[in-house]
Amino acid sequence: MFFVDALETGGLGNRSHLAGGTRAAVVVDPPRDIDRVLAGAARRGVQIVAVAETHVHNDYVSGGLELARLTGARYLVPAGAEVAYARVPVADGHVEPLDEGLALRAVATPGHTPHHTSYVLEESGRAVAAFTGGSLLIGSVGRPDLVEPRLTEELARAQHASVHRLAAELDDEVAVMPTHGFGSFCSSSQADGTHSTIGTEKVSNPALVQDVDSFVKDLLAGLDDVPAYYAHMGPANAGGPAPVDLTAPRPADADEIARRLAAGEWVVDLRNRVAFAAGHVAGALNFEADGQLATYLAWMIPWGRPVTLLAESAEDIGRAQRELTRVGIDRPAAAAVGGPADWIADGSRPASFPPGTFADLAAARARGEDPVVVDVRRDSERADGWIEGSVHLPVHQLHRRLDEVPDGTVWVHCAGGMRAAIAASVLDAAGREVVAVDDGYAAAAEAGLALVTRER
């Protein structure tokens, strides 16, 4: 008998997999915080004998090297990947024994990267699961534009060929178990479900129902923005990531927080957006601990800039610290728990700004006011429609384009409220009067706001 356990990394939209038999297991595309993997293996009572990477990852720092070192497992890395450490170079057809009757077979599936390799779990010679990494995803494929712009179309065509190879070689009932596609920007589009099989993908995945030219045209036309921190992930993984240090950051008092802000460092308030808007340290930025903290903070912060974390509890600091290590922000400069009263020096007062809804915005316009409306969604989201007269500044670009925000009180919105809160904190830190729209975008039409759509 075999098992496969998925290890979710929700904030990044990724999955790792622990798979094996009664005594031994493999880990495919492990996360940076490998204590989760070790705990999963301990619960199963299995020894990790192999660690397999489908590719050199561009969206997170892998824990594979450290996991292999700690467990003594064989570290399987595609032979075509240029890395700076010892590993088992895996070529197409490589078979790695795991447990009695269980083996892992490598299948070259270039496309997401030139060296991308999928792994097929076989029980008594019969394929039972395919760990497809960034190749065949649920209803999609991994994006082909993260390696080198000049290779993008070539890799898109390789993606089409690779997923057709998997579909041709594997039975319909074989489970498809990708790494990306659950919110990851490594996916060319987002998954509609959480589980799939080869048979399901044959009738629903664009890569398997379209001819290659149509597929490539649609794939390239639909590619979304690339988070800026991706530029640092590949080199970190190729060079060999250092072990994670999740010990508590050094505590900071109010005076130190003020000094760090004055020095141009980032102070990040992890509280929910309602609490932040009601009162916060002037100059602090709001990235909610329960939002996509790692993605958006790593996307926006100047790489290498020290960051100090503020939260209501040490547990929130620890969760945020764990998330940030996954994208290479390894050690906060400092941290503080409590609330604004604990973080602001004597004699100073908390900063604040009002929240709002789309109905509030409509009411302001009806009163004859002329509020500045800033839409911080991505290009792909705005392409489906926008509020008439709004200025488009994606949240990950806003801090570098503040001079493009018109004068006046700024009403800032996204699709749901989380990114609007980030943007509002950036504007507030820059001294602007701001209203954070904490509302779903569908409510804009319900409020009677004039919308522009592509059909006009």
Side-chain angles (χ1 to χ4, degrees):
M1 293 294 292
F2 72 93
F3 72 88
V4 179
D5 293 336
L7 304 173
E8 302 275 356
T9 303
L12 297 179
N14 285 332
R15 283 182 177 176
S16 304
H17 293 93
L18 173 71
T22 56
R23 297 189 302 270
V26 61
V27 182
V28 182
D29 291 343
R32 181 90 184 275
D33 46 330
I34 59 173
D35 56 337
R36 295 191 293 148
V37 181
L38 295 170
R43 284 192 296 270
R44 284 284 187 178
V46 294
Q47 178 184 357
I48 296 172
V49 297
V51 177
E53 303 282 9
T54 57
H55 58 295
V56 175
H57 301 282
N58 289 295
D59 63 327
Y60 70 95
V61 180
S62 171
L65 183 64
E66 179 66 2
L67 182 60
R69 185 187 70 81
L70 285 178
T71 61
R74 284 164 58 83
Y75 192 25
L76 313 180
V77 178
E82 296 185 7
V83 296
Y85 42 82
R87 88 287 196 203
V88 178
V90 174
D92 185 57
H94 175 97
V95 176
E96 187 71 19
L98 295 179
D99 206 338
E100 184 175 354
L102 279 183
L104 201 67
R105 176 168 58 88
V107 180
T109 48
H112 186 47
T113 67
H115 60 264
H116 191 283
T117 299
S118 298
Y119 297 93
V120 177
L121 182 66
E122 296 180 336
E123 183 181 42
S124 301
R126 179 179 64 90
V128 292
F131 303 105
T132 54
S135 182
L136 177 62
L137 309 185
I138 298 177
S140 184
V141 296
R143 60 193 299 169
D145 61 328
L146 301 179
V147 176
E148 159 60 56
R150 292 169 295 183
L151 295 178
T152 296
E153 182 171 347
E154 175 186 333
L155 290 176
R157 292 182 179 277
Q159 273 291 46
H160 189 270
S162 290
V163 299
H164 275 262
R165 179 187 178 187
L166 290 170
E169 293 185 3
L170 301 175
D171 293 337
D172 285 357
E173 63 269 21
V174 172
V176 175
M177 299 190 169
T179 302
H180 305 312
F182 310 98
S184 167
F185 282 88
C186 265
S187 174
S188 60
S189 62
Q190 297 312 313
D192 292 327
T194 57
H195 300 86
S196 190
T197 63
I198 290 292
T200 299
E201 294 306 308
K202 281 182 178 179
V203 298
S204 61
N205 195 302
L208 292 171
V209 299
Q210 290 182 306
D211 65 83
V212 63
D213 291 333
S214 299
F215 166 75
V216 170
K217 178 181 177 182
D218 290 349
L219 175 64
L220 299 187
L223 292 173
D224 211 336
D225 298 331
V226 178
Y229 70 90
Y230 277 24
H232 305 281
M233 300 297 96
N237 287 319
V244 169
D245 179 3
L246 292 176
T247 58
R250 60 182 302 277
D253 60 17
D255 288 337
E256 181 175 347
I257 292 168
R259 288 197 304 272
R260 291 188 176 278
L261 280 167
E265 298 182 13
W266 278 35
V267 173
V268 172
D269 190 325
L270 300 168
R271 294 176 301 150
N272 72 71
R273 51 189 179 263
V274 175
F276 181 88
H280 55 268
V281 178
L285 303 178
N286 183 212
F287 292 82
E288 292 178 312
D290 292 327
Q292 289 180 277
L293 167 68
T295 294
Y296 283 100
L297 179 55
W299 198 337
M300 294 172 64
I301 192 169
W303 201 250
R305 184 75 56 90
V307 59
T308 294
L309 301 177
L310 310 179
E312 292 175 335
S313 69
E315 290 74 21
D316 287 342
I317 295 290
R319 285 194 298 120
Q321 185 178 352
R322 178 180 292 271
E323 278 202 52
L324 294 177
T325 62
R326 296 169 182 161
V327 292
I329 302 176
D330 282 2
R331 292 293 299 166
V337 298
D342 305 298
W343 306 330
I344 298 172
D346 292 340
S348 299
R349 301 182 60 183
S352 64
F353 53 79
T357 64
F358 285 114
D360 295 331
L361 175 58
R365 284 186 166 180
R367 290 192 299 269
E369 299 175 19
D370 187 23
V372 176
V373 180
V374 173
D375 178 352
V376 297
R377 297 175 300 161
R378 298 187 303 277
D379 291 348
S380 59
E381 296 171 286
R382 184 165 170 98
D384 291 329
W386 59 91
I387 295 173
E388 189 171 65
S390 63
V391 177
H392 183 219
L393 295 170
V395 67
H396 55 276
Q397 300 175 10
L398 179 64
H399 58 301
R400 299 191 305 270
R401 300 174 62 186
L402 289 170
D403 59 342
E404 298 178 41
V405 181
D407 294 338
T409 299
V410 182
W411 291 64
V412 59
H413 81 87
C414 60
M418 182 267 290
R419 288 172 293 170
I422 296 172
S425 71
V426 171
L427 290 161
D428 176 72
R432 298 298 302 270
E433 295 292 327
V434 64
V435 177
V437 177
D438 190 7
D439 209 351
Y441 183 71
E446 297 168 3
L449 289 165
L451 303 182
V452 179
T453 64
R454 287 187 297 181
E455 287 72 31
R456 288 191 181 182

